[in-house]
Amino acid sequence: MIVSKCHGLPLVISVVAGLLSPKEKNEYEWRNLLNNLSDVLEEESVSKILLLSFLDLPPNLKNCLLYLAVFPEDSLTFHREIYGLWIAEGFIEARRNMTLDQVAEEYLEELIYRNLVQCEYYYGVEKNIRIHDVMREMIISRADEFRVCQIFSEKNESTFERKSRRLSIHGSMETFLETIEDSGVRSINYTSNTDDELSESSLVTLFEKFKLLKVLNLAFAPLRRLPKEVGTLIHLRLLSLARTMVEVVPTSIGKLHNLQSLDLSFSSVKMLPESIGELHNLLSLNVESSFIRELPNTINKLRKLQFLFASHSTEFIFGIKSSSGVKIHEGIGNLKNLHTLGVVEVHPHKVGVIKELQQLRKLSLLCITNLSADVHGRTLCSCIEKMENLKQLSIFSSSENEILGVQHISSPRFLDLLELVLKGRLERFPDWITKLQNLKGLELSFSRLINDALSSVGDLPNLVFLALNQAYDGEELHFNEGRFLKLKELHIRKLEGLRVLKIDRGALHRLEYFKIGDCQKLKKVTTGIQSLGKLKDLTIYDMPVEFTAMIHGCFRDLKHAPYIGVWNLFDQQD
């Protein structure tokens, strides 16, 4: 009866399922929902059922959902960006024994569970969030009504009402500044719809008009220079210059004593000022870019810092330097409130920074690069053994042939680890990995194991993502029935000795995404890929002609897969 009320509309079905999921499984609760559906769906209105799902939310989640209206249409938003904004806006309630990030994660999971937002997972852990177009229309209208935020654009300029303290600007900054005089605005999220550069004079005017700003999000803005007047925004909690062209952060940023989050990810920043050490209330710093190679030692003065992510990208695609770290100085152990530390590069001949990691007992994410087994191995293992709160761990050796000395871990306390990335040679498969019963994502790169690596990980009960990149030098990989029971995504690349891939009938029965490439000796698959009944995406690249021909012969049996791609990366032929 409930399903019939949904009129066969997929969005309505999924949202009604989300409405039903948290309720008690008894006839009274279900019939009560049915009666409510009957009232709102008399006119078969999708918007009414979406409104019902919104009204069913607890108050703390209503604001979080409505705030997603600030993001552009059809955009994918990284979950950590959402967390930072929710926290800066004061939407996240502090709870005993939980960080604000953990509470924000719980809020987002609830919205996903109720099918109110769409989620794309990678590594089994990381999330990109998207809002359905129809849902977004409802969110925008309600966000305005509940005064959570308002959208300003050229389309609604004439009817725009100055009543919200949180504004999302879609369009011209100059037009906005000419229209709005209200100095009570606390939050501005800016999205440009042109390639015209955002002028320094416009920002100076913005800072003068809105001195009470707590949130200023200029991500993706066509901005080359941040004026020194930013230092007048003494109430600012969050400043994002992500993916802008800003090259220099002015020293006046040291005056922003209430700053909690500074995001420079993928920007062009070449230099961080020494005065960053003056930001004593800073909680979050993200300086992922193409230029930064080293952070000033004044970073170690930021005793309230909880989030430190600093890396630079390179031209490598698959190499061990594809995500290189940024050098940090000794004294990092002073930052005892850190929950996130990555990507940091250690000195090739010193262990001082690594020794200090044992003082960072609150870490939930650690990514560390440039490791040498002889210099760093035992010290690093001793430190991370003590980290009870680790959820994501990435360890990279200094080169593809350098041994990654992680075998010294004997009794890990981080048994709740969700994601593990190991890049470097392994003498043998680390036994401690088999103890990670909650592990969802595993990547092994350049491991060059001789024994079948799958024999040790196939029984991990919650593994949903597995990537093997030059991880195995054997001639045969065998996926047995009854193992990898939850695996949804499998990447295999450059297993140079691999000749035979065996997939038992009934094995990998949940696999949805399968990518395989550059295995030049692989010409045979026994039982076959066509037995993967839930496959959605099969991508094959840089494989031998014989393997490609075999896949073409299976196309008829793979008609259930929406996407099949066979291509050559280097010749650029589809």
Side-chain angles (χ1 to χ4, degrees):
M1 294 170 69
I2 291 173
V3 170
S4 68
K5 293 292 183 181
C6 298
H7 302 286
L9 301 173
L11 177 62
V12 174
I13 292 171
S14 66
V15 172
V16 169
L19 267 173
L20 193 59
S21 59
K23 299 188 181 300
E24 294 291 333
K25 294 179 175 59
N26 59 59
E27 183 177 349
Y28 172 79
E29 291 285 354
W30 287 38
R31 191 168 295 280
N32 188 45
L33 176 65
L34 176 63
N35 293 335
N36 288 333
L37 288 177
S38 299
D39 292 338
V40 301
L41 288 179
E42 289 178 354
E43 301 175 8
E44 302 184 14
S45 171
V46 174
S47 60
K48 288 185 177 180
I49 184 62
L50 297 183
L51 176 59
L52 179 61
S53 64
F54 166 73
L55 296 175
D56 190 61
L57 287 173
N60 55 347
L61 288 182
K62 283 189 173 76
N63 284 341
C64 289
L65 177 63
L66 295 180
Y67 192 77
L68 299 181
V70 305
F71 297 109
E73 186 176 0
D74 296 325
S75 64
L76 277 174
T77 308
F78 187 46
H79 67 276
R80 293 190 185 279
E81 182 180 355
I82 294 174
Y83 297 167
L85 287 166
W86 282 351
I87 292 171
E89 295 286 7
F91 294 153
I92 305 302
E93 299 174 346
R95 293 185 190 172
R96 188 175 182 180
N97 299 324
M98 290 183 71
T99 66
L100 293 178
D101 263 6
Q102 289 172 331
V103 179
E105 181 180 12
E106 185 178 291
Y107 285 9
L108 183 58
E109 288 293 338
E110 179 69 14
L111 294 178
I112 295 171
Y113 185 63
R114 290 171 175 262
N115 294 314
L116 296 177
V117 299
Q118 299 171 340
C119 178
E120 296 182 8
Y121 288 91
Y122 57 100
Y123 275 86
V125 177
E126 305 290 0
K127 296 182 282 289
N128 277 325
I129 304 303
R130 187 194 301 273
I131 307 295
H132 191 283
D133 292 346
V134 180
M135 177 68 74
R136 187 171 183 274
E137 291 178 8
M138 188 278 294
I139 288 175
I140 290 176
S141 65
R142 293 290 159 173
D144 190 1
E145 178 184 339
F146 282 76
R147 299 193 178 186
V148 173
C149 63
Q150 271 191 296
I151 309 296
F152 177 90
S153 66
E154 283 84 349
K155 295 180 181 179
N156 70 349
E157 175 188 344
S158 60
T159 59
F160 187 79
E161 298 182 15
R162 301 158 181 80
K163 60 184 180 182
S164 177
R165 292 191 172 187
R166 304 184 188 95
L167 301 179
S168 181
I169 308 169
H170 295 179
S172 168
M173 177 66 78
E174 287 74 15
T175 303
F176 167 74
L177 292 172
E178 292 172 359
T179 306
I180 303 301
E181 296 291 341
D182 184 5
S183 61
V185 174
R186 300 294 193 271
S187 173
I188 290 179
N189 289 270
Y190 173 69
T191 302
S192 175
N193 57 2
T194 70
D195 293 329
D196 296 337
E197 185 173 334
L198 180 57
S199 68
E200 187 175 357
S201 61
S202 293
L203 284 180
V204 172
T205 303
L206 178 75
F207 301 157
E208 291 175 349
K209 281 192 171 185
F210 306 107
K211 294 183 180 297
L212 300 178
L213 278 181
K214 293 182 178 180
V215 171
L216 179 58
N217 182 6
L218 300 174
F220 292 95
L223 174 65
R224 292 186 178 275
R225 184 178 176 84
L226 183 67
K228 63 182 181 180
E229 285 79 4
V230 70
T232 64
L233 302 179
I234 59 175
H235 301 284
L236 207 61
R237 296 178 183 175
L238 180 145
L239 172 62
S240 176
L241 303 173
R243 294 170 175 82
T244 66
M245 297 172 286
V246 173
E247 295 185 352
V248 178
V249 176
T251 56
S252 61
I253 200 171
K255 300 176 181 179
L256 306 182
H257 295 296
N258 290 300
L259 200 63
Q260 298 175 352
S261 179
L262 174 62
D263 187 352
L264 308 175
S265 57
F266 293 104
S267 65
S268 301
V269 174
K270 296 180 180 178
M271 178 184 69
L272 284 178
E274 290 287 327
S275 60
I276 196 169
E278 300 175 21
L279 305 182
H280 300 299
N281 292 301
L282 190 70
L283 295 182
S284 176
L285 176 64
N286 186 337
V287 288
E288 185 174 8
S289 74
S290 300
F291 294 94
I292 290 179
R293 297 293 182 269
E294 185 173 352
L295 297 179
N297 56 14
T298 51
I299 288 287
N300 299 325
K301 296 180 180 180
L302 307 179
R303 303 301 174 89
K304 295 183 180 181
L305 198 64
Q306 296 180 13
F307 179 88
L308 174 57
F309 198 90
S311 74
H312 66 267
S313 58
T314 70
E315 71 275 13
F316 295 94
I317 299 177
F318 296 111
I320 203 161
K321 300 294 185 181
S322 59
S323 181
S324 300
V326 175
K327 295 177 182 177
I328 58 176
H329 297 273
E330 293 185 13
I332 192 70
N334 294 328
L335 307 183
K336 293 181 172 57
N337 287 309
L338 272 181
H339 296 286
T340 296
L341 178 60
V343 178
V344 294
E345 180 179 311
V346 298
H347 192 285
H349 306 297
K350 297 180 180 180
V351 296
V353 170
I354 293 181
K355 285 183 178 179
E356 293 187 47
L357 293 180
Q358 62 186 331
Q359 301 176 46
L360 307 180
R361 299 296 181 86
K362 296 182 180 181
L363 280 183
S364 62
L365 183 152
L366 173 63
C367 184
I368 189 165
T369 71
N370 201 39
L371 288 162
S372 167
D374 294 337
V375 179
H376 308 118
R378 290 186 181 276
T379 303
L380 176 64
C381 291
S382 175
C383 290
I384 65 176
E385 271 189 332
K386 300 179 176 66
M387 297 178 183
E388 299 180 357
N389 298 305
L390 270 183
K391 296 293 186 295
Q392 297 171 264
L393 175 63
S394 299
I395 306 175
F396 301 176
S397 62
S398 57
S399 71
E400 295 177 8
N401 294 316
E402 175 72 25
I403 297 293
L404 197 61
V406 295
Q407 70 275 11
H408 304 295
I409 297 175
S410 57
S411 55
R413 297 184 185 179
F414 50 89
L415 296 179
D416 289 332
L417 198 71
L418 300 177
E419 177 188 322
L420 176 64
V421 179
L422 299 178
K423 293 188 177 183
R425 290 289 296 270
L426 294 175
E427 294 178 320
R428 57 182 175 82
F429 186 81
D431 295 335
W432 54 268
I433 295 180
T434 61
K435 301 177 183 179
L436 306 177
Q437 298 297 292
N438 294 309
L439 195 68
K440 292 185 176 182
L442 174 63
E443 178 183 340
L444 300 176
S445 292
F446 319 112
S447 309
R448 312 302 295 260
L449 294 166
I450 302 299
N451 60 317
D452 187 348
L454 298 183
S455 63
S456 300
V457 299
D459 294 325
L460 291 173
N462 290 295
L463 197 68
V464 296
F465 175 93
L466 175 64
L468 302 173
N469 173 29
Q470 286 184 264
Y472 174 55
D473 284 346
E475 295 187 356
E476 179 179 298
L477 270 183
H478 188 185
F479 291 90
N480 305 91
E481 184 179 5
R483 312 184 77 196
F484 294 100
L485 296 179
K486 291 188 178 181
L487 196 68
K488 292 184 177 181
E489 188 166 354
L490 174 63
H491 296 192
I492 295 175
R493 179 188 174 271
K494 206 171 184 180
L495 303 190
E496 296 175 345
L498 188 63
R499 295 178 181 274
V500 179
L501 177 63
K502 290 185 177 180
I503 303 175
D504 290 350
R505 190 170 299 279
L508 301 178
H509 68 284
R510 291 194 180 186
L511 196 68
E512 297 178 359
Y513 303 92
F514 186 17
K515 295 184 179 181
I516 182 168
D518 202 11
C519 299
Q520 295 303 316
K521 295 182 180 180
L522 179 59
K523 301 176 182 179
K524 182 180 180 182
V525 178
T526 62
T527 302
I529 295 175
Q530 63 269 30
S531 65
L532 305 177
K534 293 191 175 181
L535 200 62
K536 295 179 180 179
D537 184 319
L538 174 61
T539 301
I540 297 165
Y541 60 94
D542 300 329
M543 292 296 288
V545 174
E546 295 88 343
F547 186 89
T548 303
M550 179 200 66
I551 294 299
H552 277 288
C554 297
F555 276 3
R556 180 175 297 178
D557 296 323
L558 288 170
K559 58 185 179 182
H560 61 277
Y563 174 81
I564 302 175
V566 182
W567 47 280
N568 187 300
L569 176 65
F570 302 106
D571 292 342
Q572 296 183 346
Q573 295 176 352
D574 292 339

